[in-house]
Amino acid sequence: MTDLAKLSATETALAIRERRVSATEVMDAAINRIEAANPKLNAFVFTAFDEARDEAKKAEEAVARGDALGPLHGVPTAMKDLFDFKPGWPSTLGGIPQLKENIADMKCGFVDSMEAAGAIFVGKTNSPAMGFRGTTDNAAFGPTCNPFDVTRNPGGSSGGSAAAVAAGLLPVAEGTDGGGSIRIPAAWTNTVGYRASAGRTPLLVRPNAFANTLPYIFEGTISRNVEDAIVSLGVLQGAHPGDPNCYDMVNNFADAGLAGIKGMKIGFSPNLDVFPVEGEVADVVADAVRVFERAGAEVEEIKIGLTRDQREYSDIWCRLFVPIMRHSFDAIKASGLDLLSDEHRHGLAPDLLDWIERVGPGYSADDLYRDLSVRSEVFDAYQATFAKYDLIVSPTVTAMPVKNTDDGNTKGPSQINGIEIDPLIGWCPTFLTNFTGHPSVSVPAGLGTSGLPVGLHIAGRRQADRDVLAAAAAFERLRPWTQHYDRIAL
């Protein structure tokens, strides 16, 4: 009998299509794995198993009828409990206790696209409140645990999805990414987190349809291999009439996995110029970068051209994100629940409240203009670098997985190598490409001396998703990582 937990999404869909296994068998096996492992991981915060079994039965009947099948037909998946919705399912916006009974009446674009491709949703995965940190913990559900060490965090804000995929509960799950939230947990869980180029995949936001550009925010996937990232991008890409920032630039990436990178010029930045990096991370990444030379690329250590203190960049990211949160809270207040009131603010993390108060209504148009000017400096530095190099590779995050706390407020390190950093996002230079919109992926670089995963970040030119995917696949062929999943014991 095939071990369904080890099948990728693509392999699962093929097995169902060829009738080697039924969609019902696949779903039952996934549900059994979730029920067995979730008490230890806290990856799922809501499950809809009866609904998923009904959909699996319909998927099985479609195979029997000989219907045309989507590329993910019958594949179990999950959505993130943040700004992601499915009618009749709860939406807590990242574990805000007062929203446990908040039931969605709409479907987000990710769910719509994945269901159209045949995937079946089994539940929602854990996330921090408003996605405002690089770890996964909150007041309603507590921390998610890293499958490689359940005392540690899997990263965030898509940590529930990353933990579920790494542990083999599902082959693919949703991540959203406004500062690295797909790629950060991928780095800490030995998974692949792909975030497309700006404008390639739609994101529906209201009442401000343009909010997904301050910074760039994306929906995407976390998977165990690059092939599933390629297939998922094919499912998610394309223009949507509700997103003014998404373009009709559908490409066939099916051959990207075999394209190779021979002759490419790759710039290796060990620290993105200004970010302190833990030694364990630095050692694994420096060794991993050599793989690209074996694949035929030319690799050169570079400076990107960032000149400001890393704390200034991370503070700007936080300031840009605060208005999105404030307007969300205002919308909830209009419905009768003031989450920022003395009565309800205990459901939000102290750091989030601090930023809400620091930025507040006093954040002027002039302040925004100045922050966007610095953001433009980052964009210009990346563009100048990409004029010389096809790809930029670097550490995904600069720290190893942190221990979970029991107060609903697990954060990253506040200091690395004696340098103070923002514990929410300052150890996650992933947010730089949310400033710029360049396509980016985190792939497993290897395990550190602690036995915990380290991520390698690959960024490419705007709209050059194919180059990024080709590099990720080339790396995977020469340094596979699936053997590391055997270390997981739950």
Side-chain angles (χ1 to χ4, degrees), residues 48 65 71 75 84 135 145 195 215 232 285 290 305 340 370-372 415 417 423 448 474:
R65 289 193 302 268
V75 175
D84 312 277
T135 51
C145 301
R195 201 228 68 199
S232 297
V285 171
R290 298 174 185 170
L340 298 179
R370 282 189 289 270
D371 282 347
L372 292 180
Q415 190 177 93
N417 301 339

Side-chain angles (χ1 to χ4, degrees), residues 174-246:
E174 183 195 22
T176 58
D177 194 313
S181 291
I182 290 173
R183 296 158 288 152
I184 297 163
W188 277 5
T189 59
N190 198 64
T191 53
V192 177
Y194 189 76
R195 201 228 68 199
S197 186
R200 185 170 294 282
T201 57
L203 181 68
L204 308 182
V205 185
R206 292 297 185 275
N208 178 7
F210 299 89
N212 60 1
T213 64
L214 289 172
Y216 286 115
I217 303 174
F218 305 81
E219 291 176 328
T221 58
I222 296 170
S223 59
R224 282 187 162 202
N225 67 11
V226 177
E227 182 182 26
D228 283 354
I230 293 172
V231 171
S232 297
L233 179 60
V235 167
L236 298 174
Q237 69 174 333
H240 190 289
D243 184 353
N245 308 302
C246 191

Side-chain angles (χ1 to χ4, degrees), residues 336-357:
L337 176 62
D338 185 0
L339 291 172
L340 298 179
S341 68
D342 291 340
E343 179 183 1
H344 295 298
R345 63 195 289 120
H346 65 275
L348 301 172
D351 301 84
L352 187 155
L353 290 169
D354 179 60
W355 271 106
I356 289 286
E357 291 166 0

Side-chain angles (χ1 to χ4, degrees), residues 4 9 29 40 42 56 72 80 102 138 172 199 224 239 282 310 335 339 379 428 430 449 469:
L4 298 178
K40 301 174 185 176
N42 195 33
L72 295 174
K80 178 180 176 181
N102 179 44
N138 56 60
V172 64
R224 282 187 162 202
Q310 46 80 25
S335 68
L339 291 172
F379 175 78
C428 308
T430 46
T449 54
L469 293 166

Side-chain angles (χ1 to χ4, degrees), residues 406-467:
D406 60 4
D407 59 356
N409 193 31
T410 302
K411 294 181 283 189
S414 58
Q415 190 177 93
I416 294 178
N417 301 339
I419 299 173
E420 290 189 3
I421 60 171
D422 175 21
L424 298 181
I425 194 76
W427 46 280
C428 308
T430 46
F431 70 79
L432 294 172
T433 56
N434 291 86
F435 281 174
T436 68
H438 293 94
S440 309
V441 67
S442 180
V443 296
L447 304 182
T449 54
S450 61
L452 297 173
V454 174
L456 176 68
H457 194 260
I458 307 169
R461 294 174 175 136
R462 298 261 296 204
Q463 315 311 334
D465 297 74
R466 180 182 299 278
D467 288 350

Side-chain angles (χ1 to χ4, degrees), residues 111-462:
V111 171
D112 203 26
S113 296
M114 292 291 279
E115 287 185 338
I120 301 172
F121 285 85
V122 300
K124 300 191 77 172
T125 57
N126 204 14
S127 169
M130 307 304 289
F132 193 61
R133 61 181 58 205
T135 51
T136 296
D137 195 357
N138 56 60
F141 305 115
T144 294
C145 301
N146 193 315
F148 285 86
D149 179 349
V150 293
T151 69
R152 296 182 183 272
N153 202 269
S157 63
S158 309
S161 289
V165 170
L169 310 188
L170 300 168
V172 64
E174 183 195 22
T176 58
D177 194 313
S181 291
I182 290 173
R183 296 158 288 152
I184 297 163
W188 277 5
T189 59
N190 198 64
T191 53
V192 177
Y194 189 76
R195 201 228 68 199
S197 186
R200 185 170 294 282
T201 57
L203 181 68
L204 308 182
V205 185
R206 292 297 185 275
N208 178 7
F210 299 89
N212 60 1
T213 64
L214 289 172
Y216 286 115
I217 303 174
F218 305 81
E219 291 176 328
T221 58
I222 296 170
S223 59
R224 282 187 162 202
N225 67 11
V226 177
E227 182 182 26
D228 283 354
I230 293 172
V231 171
S232 297
L233 179 60
V235 167
L236 298 174
Q237 69 174 333
H240 190 289
D243 184 353
N245 308 302
C246 191
Y247 308 106
D248 189 12
M249 51 181 179
V250 175
N251 297 107
N252 183 358
F253 295 109
D255 63 345
L258 298 175
I261 57 172
K262 186 175 181 179
M264 280 193 184
K265 293 189 67 177
I266 296 178
F268 168 45
S269 176
N271 61 356
L272 283 306
D273 295 353
V274 295
F275 290 82
V277 182
E278 289 183 3
E280 192 172 352
V281 173
D283 290 345
V284 172
V285 171
D287 179 68
V289 168
R290 298 174 185 170
V291 171
F292 295 112
E293 294 178 330
R294 291 168 50 200
E298 178 184 341
V299 180
E300 180 180 337
E301 188 168 322
I302 62 168
K303 293 286 188 181
I304 294 174
L306 303 181
T307 58
R308 297 176 183 264
D309 186 82
Q310 46 80 25
R311 190 63 185 250
E312 184 172 358
Y313 293 125
S314 62
D315 282 356
I316 288 173
W317 182 87
C318 290
R319 285 197 295 271
L320 291 177
F321 209 79
V322 165
I324 299 172
M325 296 191 293
R326 289 192 65 88
H327 285 288
S328 296
F329 292 144
D330 287 346
I332 295 169
K333 182 179 180 180
S335 68
L337 176 62
D338 185 0
L339 291 172
L340 298 179
S341 68
D342 291 340
E343 179 183 1
H344 295 298
R345 63 195 289 120
H346 65 275
L348 301 172
D351 301 84
L352 187 155
L353 290 169
D354 179 60
W355 271 106
I356 289 286
E357 291 166 0
R358 285 168 61 185
V359 177
Y363 185 56
S364 69
D366 287 343
D367 294 329
L368 175 61
Y369 188 90
R370 282 189 289 270
D371 282 347
L372 292 180
S373 296
V374 177
R375 178 185 180 183
S376 298
E377 291 175 8
V378 176
F379 175 78
D380 289 343
Y382 269 80
Q383 288 291 86
T385 303
F386 281 123
K388 302 175 183 177
Y389 300 93
D390 298 290
L391 300 166
I392 298 172
V393 298
S394 59
T396 304
V397 296
T398 63
M400 297 297 291
V402 295
K403 288 275 190 180
N404 278 325
T405 61
D406 60 4
D407 59 356
N409 193 31
T410 302
K411 294 181 283 189
S414 58
Q415 190 177 93
I416 294 178
N417 301 339
I419 299 173
E420 290 189 3
I421 60 171
D422 175 21
L424 298 181
I425 194 76
W427 46 280
C428 308
T430 46
F431 70 79
L432 294 172
T433 56
N434 291 86
F435 281 174
T436 68
H438 293 94
S440 309
V441 67
S442 180
V443 296
L447 304 182
T449 54
S450 61
L452 297 173
V454 174
L456 176 68
H457 194 260
I458 307 169
R461 294 174 175 136
R462 298 261 296 204

